[in-house]
Amino acid sequence: QSHNVYLFVMNPNDTLSAFSLLLCVLILSAGRGELLFNADDNVVQLDFASFESGLSEPTSGKLVQFFNGFCEESQNFIPAFKNLSRKLYKWHRLLKVHVLDCGKDENDMICSIYSIRKTPTLRYFPPSYKLAPDNLGTEITHRNPKEIQSKLALNLQKLDYFKMFKRQDNVAHIFQTHKDIEYVAFVFQMCLDHFLPHLETGNSMEEKYASQGDCNEDNPIVSLIGRNTLLELLPYRKVVVRIFDNHDVYNKFGISPVPNLVVLVNKAGKLLFLTPEMDSSKAYVAAIKQFLIFVDLKPQKPLPKTPPANISEALRYEIFEQHKHHPSRIYRADLERAIDQILNVKFPGTTHFAGAKIVVLRNFVKLIYNSSPLKPEAREKLANLYYSLHVKKQLSGVGFKNLLLKSVKDYVFDGKQYVGCIASRPSLRGFNCSLWVLFHYLSVESKKLKPKSVLLVFLGYVRFFMNCKECDMKISEFKKLRPIANVTNDDEQILWLWEAHNYVNKQLAGDSTEDPKFPKIQFPSERDCPKCRNNATEWRTEEVLHYLKGIYTLKNLSWFGMSSGKHAIE
């Protein structure tokens, strides 16, 4: 049989065993590489069930990236975010890194509540966070990892871990609170004009600048030098850093106030004094690390090396996961792909439109305009295209392309991949699957048009634009069995297209055009619609109609696979 026959036939449903088999193959062959983010990169993925509890955790701040794997900007940010999350692992004691996929339908409510209008979006949440209308987290607009780290440090320094050590505080209490701690490092830091002499002020412009102003709300008592020293030593879980700004604390240790001095205290209360080479966090950290090496205290183990994310394979894995959990779901992405292909490839590739052919062209655009599954702004653009075509009696493919460019202009189709119509290997399913799905959708949603309107466009498209004589022949065979003249209302139109689809499936089941992972069954399956059959062969058409209206309606379409989620459109 010809390649064209294969191109025309699809089935939006499949058996559970096929999905399970494919999923097993993917899991066994891909391993962790199929995930966009994983724990080995210091990233924990949240979902609608774990989001609230994840943010309310009381001991650490949270950095959350709201992303959509099908969004190009999110994809472009993945390498930088992975690099950032691995660097932030040294702050793991105080900061957890999470991601939430706004491209999944089940997470859409969360992304709407948190006003996520684009992806990626970064937000910082403090420990024990509780949702409030005026507090949806602190947005971080930077995309440079160093700038993000700096913004996070400003938020982390508000945690109790950074509280000043006061003269009345008890060192023994720190060891009691942190059972695994062996050393407490005390770092003296305060504003420049509050303590002299001050030899060198910082080794970075950030630290130098911060030490020159008076202490106030904009220039906190916790200087950048003290804060950065604390952050850099977080990987040493048996060490706690405390900052003090009152030189009377020196008296507590029985020493005179001197600059550039670090005091280490062990559990027995024994003091050790370290003198950094200069007044900078880098020097302070170097001095303390040198001592820790001497006493054989090691930092936390580094993260294992991980390969770069294979975005295309990861998205395929996610799509098959969707099939596993939602085998009969209908996806906007498939409808968009079909419309995009028809308008931008199939029609412009036609040599000449005239007579019945240009009528089919016009009526297809009218169908999409009246029952558009596209974004709201597409409706006006499609109306412009329809009215431009309405006055044309003939047209070339190039002429149509020019009208399309003029009318639709810069409209961007958000469906970049087939989801429900994905194939186990190239050249199977894809467009022709999406074509069936599109016309099933149109048959359900085109209630305002005359009966048979959708079928006439469908039959005209097959005849004039499929470039497949055998496709037309099989549909013609079915037309003899079920004359289209007998279709008198919308429900009969829906059922006619369903019967035609199953007729073609039966004709080509098991041939070379069939995807072995998505066999051509008589749909809906008993699993998807138990009430649709009286027995193994007899359909209950009322139940079938109810089923088709339920899954192919606009409100039921899944946003998964779209580069802009529902939350971004509303």
Side-chain angles (χ1 to χ4, degrees), residues 93 182-185 232-241 264 272 274 284-299:
R93 285 161 71 181
E182 294 188 18
Y183 292 94
V184 179
E232 286 298 312
L233 290 171
L234 284 173
Y236 293 85
R237 296 187 176 276
K238 294 190 175 183
V239 178
V240 165
V241 177
L264 267 72
L272 176 71
L274 303 177
Y284 281 49
V285 170
I288 297 172
K289 282 185 176 180
Q290 188 174 9
F291 168 76
L292 296 176
I293 292 172
F294 178 76
V295 297
D296 198 30
L297 278 186
K298 295 179 174 60

Side-chain angles (χ1 to χ4, degrees), residues 11-15 498-509 514 519-529 532-533 536-537 539:
N11 179 36
N13 297 274
D14 48 42
T15 64
W498 161 72
E499 287 187 86
H501 190 168
N502 271 340
Y503 177 82
V504 176
N505 278 349
K506 186 175 182 179
Q507 295 291 312
L508 294 176
E514 183 177 68
K520 302 180 193 304
I521 66 168
Q522 297 297 287
F523 81 99
S525 67
E526 291 185 52
R527 180 200 61 209
D528 293 335
C529 185
C532 286
R533 289 172 170 85
T537 58
W539 292 104

Side-chain angles (χ1 to χ4, degrees), residues 276-415:
E277 293 182 355
M278 62 184 299
D279 194 26
S280 71
S281 61
K282 185 176 181 180
Y284 281 49
V285 170
I288 297 172
K289 282 185 176 180
Q290 188 174 9
F291 168 76
L292 296 176
I293 292 172
F294 178 76
V295 297
D296 198 30
L297 278 186
K298 295 179 174 60
Q300 63 192 13
K301 291 183 179 180
L303 292 168
K305 291 184 178 180
T306 58
N310 187 326
I311 295 175
S312 61
E313 285 303 312
L315 293 180
R316 279 182 62 84
Y317 174 82
E318 290 288 352
I319 289 172
F320 283 113
E321 279 288 284
Q322 282 283 312
H323 278 286
K324 174 185 174 183
H325 298 292
H326 311 287
S328 61
R329 183 172 282 180
I330 307 301
Y331 298 88
R332 285 177 174 267
D334 294 325
L335 303 185
E336 284 223 356
R337 291 284 289 164
I339 296 170
D340 187 7
Q341 184 81 353
I342 291 169
L343 292 180
N344 288 297
V345 178
K346 300 295 185 180
F347 286 161
T350 300
T351 304
H352 189 72
F353 296 93
K357 190 178 286 189
I358 200 168
V359 172
V360 173
L361 169 64
R362 267 198 307 263
N363 288 341
F364 176 81
V365 173
K366 184 178 180 180
L367 274 182
I368 302 302
Y369 161 70
N370 278 284
S371 308
S372 177
L374 306 178
K375 291 179 291 187
E377 61 264 32
R379 186 174 178 83
E380 182 180 349
K381 297 178 185 294
L382 288 169
N384 292 337
L385 178 61
Y386 173 73
Y387 290 121
S388 297
L389 291 170
H390 192 66
V391 298
K392 301 288 185 181
K393 293 185 178 180
Q394 57 181 346
L395 190 67
S396 67
V398 174
F400 172 77
K401 185 67 174 180
N402 291 334
L403 285 180
L404 184 68
L405 291 173
K406 183 178 179 181
S407 302
V408 179
K409 294 180 180 177
D410 55 353
Y411 181 80
V412 177
F413 287 90
D414 285 342

